[in-house]
């Protein structure tokens, strides 16, 4: 579970996203950071129970800095309003499909898939979906998958026209146009503070694993 003080810190940060306030509350942030790290440390073995390579990760391999890179952004707020972690073989910097936990008051979720694969990887994923569309459909149409993710796979953004080499009438065209392959399940603030949080998030990730395996096999 996450502590109420962690949720409160992130709520306060949303309304006070500036360096003077953050510096004045740095001890509160450090406690919130440690709280998330404790949860991530518990999640790693919980995920490794069904996805063994994750077990080699350290907490630092999965968690993100709260500081924002504002160099090329119109939004100059110095800090993220969330804390998050990404679990994949190779850690958060590896360009592979994996599992993602996002903690943000009112907007928290557990997710997984492949966000923004580079062009060669995207080409391979599209090819795999095209060649093995029956297997892809079996994964995303399974009862448990649809129960957790009724909205299905989110491409976030998709091509208007079919990618080169594919026809509009291809039965997999909806997925072939996608630039991302993500599923997610929201978590309420109350659920974040539940004693079963780690177990509940791990269940979501376990449901995503067949899709993760499909995507990672495609780029090998």
């Amino acid at each position: 579970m996450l502590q109420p003080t962690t949720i409160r810190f992130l709520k306060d940060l949303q309304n006070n996203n500036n360096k003077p306030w953050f510096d004045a509350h740095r001890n509160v942030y450090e406690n919130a950071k440690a709280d998330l790290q404790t949860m991530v440390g518990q999640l790693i073995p919980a995920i490794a129970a069904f996805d063994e390579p994750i077990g080699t990760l350290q907490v630092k391999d999965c968690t993100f800095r709260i500081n924002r890179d504002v160099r090329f952004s119109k939004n100059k707020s110095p800090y993220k309003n969330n804390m998050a972690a990404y679990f994949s073989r190779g850690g958060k910097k590896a360009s592979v499909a994996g599992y993602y936990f996002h903690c943000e008051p009112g907007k928290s979720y557990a997710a997984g898939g492949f966000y923004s694969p580079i062009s060669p990887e995207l080409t391979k994923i599209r090819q795999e979906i095209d060649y093995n569309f029956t297997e892809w459909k079996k994964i995303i149409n399974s009862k448990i998958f649809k129960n957790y993710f009724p909205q299905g796979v989110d491409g976030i953004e998709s091509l208007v026209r079919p990618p080169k080499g594919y026809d509009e009438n291809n039965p997999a065209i909806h997925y072939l146009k996608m630039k991302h392959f993500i599923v997610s399940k929201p978590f309420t603030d109350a659920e974040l503070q539940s004693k079963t949080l780690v177990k509940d998030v791990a269940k979501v990730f376990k449901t995503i694993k067949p899709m993760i395996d499909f995507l990672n096999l495609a780029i090998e």
Side-chain angles (χ1 to χ4, degrees), residues 10-52:
L10 289 172
K11 286 182 178 179
D12 291 342
L13 180 59
Q14 290 176 358
N15 298 318
N16 301 276
N17 200 318
N18 60 79
K19 191 174 186 303
W21 182 90
F22 192 90
D23 287 344
H25 295 81
R26 184 167 292 277
N27 63 320
V28 185
Y29 161 66
E30 293 295 342
N31 289 336
K33 178 182 177 182
D35 188 29
L36 181 77
Q37 289 176 334
T38 296
M39 182 209 168
V40 170
Q42 295 169 345
L43 257 178
I44 289 172
I47 302 169
F50 56 84
D51 196 340
E52 188 175 350

Side-chain angles (χ1 to χ4, degrees), residues 147-196:
N147 181 53
Y148 272 102
F149 315 113
Q151 303 302 317
V153 180
D154 186 358
I156 304 176
E157 57 179 319
S158 298
L159 298 174
V160 175
R161 296 182 178 182
K164 185 178 180 180
Y166 298 99
D167 185 83
E168 186 69 51
N169 296 319
N170 188 305
I173 196 61
H174 174 69
Y175 302 101
L176 298 178
K177 287 182 177 181
M178 289 182 173
K179 296 182 180 180
H180 316 270
F181 305 88
I182 304 294
V183 290
S184 65
K185 184 183 186 304
F187 276 74
T188 65
D189 292 354
E191 288 172 329
L192 293 180
Q193 299 168 69
S194 168
K195 291 182 179 179
T196 62

Side-chain angles (χ1 to χ4, degrees), residues 88-108:
S88 74
R89 64 188 194 197
K92 62 190 176 187
K93 295 182 179 180
S95 184
V96 295
Y99 314 93
Y100 178 76
F101 176 74
H102 183 95
C103 177
E104 181 176 0
K107 300 179 181 179
S108 300

Side-chain angles (χ1 to χ4, degrees), residues 136-155:
W136 176 255
K137 288 191 297 181
K138 183 179 179 181
I139 293 170
I140 65 174
N141 290 329
S142 71
K143 185 176 180 180
I144 187 171
F145 196 93
K146 295 181 75 171
N147 181 53
Y148 272 102
F149 315 113
Q151 303 302 317
V153 180
D154 186 358

Side-chain angles (χ1 to χ4, degrees), residues 113-133:
F114 207 147
Y115 180 81
S116 196
I118 61 176
S119 183
E121 295 167 345
L122 183 56
T123 296
K124 291 178 180 179
I125 290 171
R126 285 171 173 161
Q127 185 179 67
E128 189 71 16
I129 291 175
D130 181 37
Y131 285 176
N132 294 297
F133 191 44

